[in-house]
């Protein structure tokens, strides 16, 4: 009986990890700040850096949908403030947030 329970727990854990991997998407967009959001997409790298240095948080602006998402792991985007990027991210629609799995400058 203990083996069956252990097996069910292992299968459940594996299914949860697999479900998270399915939710991860590749998206193009911009790294901006929480005060200005989509206003600086493509034109305000210096302002984004200044706002974040002043206490605002970095956000991700989805290029296609023009939506602003909070970033739940902001250290992942430190080198890309104000830049157009391609991210692989897992989103949480209820919280309107993303977890950046990987990031690179968009081509």
């Amino acid at each position: 009986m203990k083996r069956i329970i252990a097996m069910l727990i292992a299968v459940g854990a594996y299914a949860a990890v697999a479900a998270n991997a399915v939710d991860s998407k590749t998206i193009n967009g911009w790294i901006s700040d929480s005060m200005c959001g989509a206003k600086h997409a493509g034109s305000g790298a210096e302002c984004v850096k200044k706002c974040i240095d002043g206490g605002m948080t970095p956000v991700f602006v989805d290029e296609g949908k023009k939506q602003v998402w909070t970033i739940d792991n902001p250290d992942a985007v430190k080198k890309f403030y104000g830049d157009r990027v391609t991210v692989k991210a897992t989103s949480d629609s209820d919280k309107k947030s993303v977890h950046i799995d990987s990031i690179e400058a968009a081509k």
Side-chain angles (χ1 to χ4, degrees), residues 1-17:
M1 185 67 169
K2 288 182 182 179
R3 285 185 184 176
I4 292 172
I5 292 173
M7 182 68 80
L8 289 174
I9 290 172
V11 168
Y14 178 75
V17 169

Side-chain angles (χ1 to χ4, degrees), residues 50-65:
K50 184 177 178 181
C51 288
I52 291 172
D53 287 343
M56 296 296 114
T57 58
V59 295
F60 177 74
V61 180
D62 182 321
E63 184 176 66
K65 296 179 182 177

Side-chain angles (χ1 to χ4, degrees), residues 24 26 29 46 48 54-55 66-67 73 77 83 85 90 96 103:
S24 187
T26 301
E46 288 304 314
V48 171
K66 305 296 186 221
Q67 294 176 332
N73 58 333
V77 301
D83 293 344
V85 295
T90 306
K96 193 125 180 179
I103 184 169

